[in-house]
Amino acid sequence: MAAVPARSPASPYELRYDSGRVCLDLVATAHPHERLTSPDLLRAWLVGAGLVPRATAPPVCAPSWLAAFRVLRGHVSRSVRGEL
């Protein structure tokens, strides 16, 4: 599998997949390749997914957030696939 080149922080909507459910949008960040490759990209996804109120500054995402969101995404993905 070819490596995906590192990218600069994306616009909030570049990372968005609008399934109608934020949990499924999170799962989609790993398809077809990993999109959450940095805390900045996670922050952009959080904003684009509508999880940050408009009047609020985007959160400062520590590297530990990235690992935690990937674990959460794995749990949601397994849950969805188990239900299907």
Side-chain angles (χ1 to χ4, degrees):
M1 178 186 282
V4 176
R7 295 172 34 168
S8 61
S11 72
Y13 294 99
E14 186 177 333
L15 296 168
R16 183 158 182 175
Y17 172 78
D18 194 2
S19 69
R21 299 283 185 257
V22 174
C23 59
L24 298 179
D25 295 346
L26 177 60
V27 171
T29 63
H31 183 77
H33 54 80
E34 178 62 59
R35 293 187 196 163
L36 300 179
T37 57
S38 72
D40 288 337
L41 288 172
L42 174 59
R43 182 176 49 236
W45 182 82
L46 291 168
V47 170
L51 295 173
V52 179
R54 290 182 187 217
T56 306
V60 175
C61 296
S64 62
W65 284 36
L66 193 57
F69 269 85
R70 287 179 177 170
V71 168
L72 174 63
R73 181 181 63 198
H75 291 305
V76 172
S77 181
R78 281 188 295 284
S79 177
V80 169
R81 290 188 175 126
E83 187 63 29
L84 291 176

